[in-house]
Amino acid sequence: MAGDIEEREAEQGQRMIEVRVRFWTNDLTDDGAKGRIKPKHAWGSGIVRMKRNESHGVVSGKPIPFNSMMEMPAAIERALIEHGVKVHRSRKMKRYAPSPERIAR
């Protein structure tokens, strides 16, 4: 499996794939004045977007909105899929997530 994947060198700072989550903060002030914020307050909705990364071939795409905190993981997953990022199970995930071979049985 590893033999058919292209490998390349990456500079420091280009080795990670970054997903940015941004929360809406508009219309939270008591007076409703435009352009004002209430520090450290945000709505439970916003957007997810992938940060550009040349080493991984990731280009910035359209932001993916989420309307509740429960939708945020799905928006992150959708961003990764749309950019062709394959997520591998970590050591801790292997404790509770079966391997694809075991699922196919």
Side-chain angles (χ1 to χ4, degrees):
M1 179 176 191
D4 60 350
I5 298 173
E6 175 194 349
E7 295 177 359
R8 60 178 79 148
E9 291 290 324
E11 295 179 20
Q12 188 71 24
Q14 291 288 310
R15 295 182 188 160
M16 294 183 83
I17 295 173
E18 185 174 338
V19 177
R20 180 171 289 171
V21 178
R22 301 177 76 183
F23 294 92
W24 306 127
T25 61
N26 58 318
D27 302 329
L28 286 172
T29 57
D30 295 332
D31 60 4
K34 201 170 188 118
R36 294 180 52 82
I37 62 161
K38 193 180 268 190
K40 297 186 181 181
H41 287 256
W43 294 108
S45 58
I47 59 170
V48 169
R49 66 181 330 150
M50 296 283 293
K51 186 173 180 189
R52 184 174 172 267
N53 184 313
E54 289 181 29
S55 295
H56 286 283
V58 174
V59 295
S60 292
K62 292 189 331 186
I64 299 168
F66 60 94
N67 296 308
S68 74
M69 298 292 282
M70 292 178 64
E71 289 181 17
M72 187 173 35
I76 292 170
E77 181 180 31
R78 185 170 150 208
L80 292 167
I81 290 169
E82 286 182 4
H83 286 83
V85 176
K86 181 176 181 180
V87 177
H88 297 262
R89 295 178 305 136
S90 66
R91 280 184 227 113
K92 287 193 176 188
M93 268 183 81
K94 289 178 183 177
R95 293 180 189 168
Y96 60 87
S99 66
E101 298 82 34
R102 293 191 73 190
I103 294 171
R105 289 184 197 175

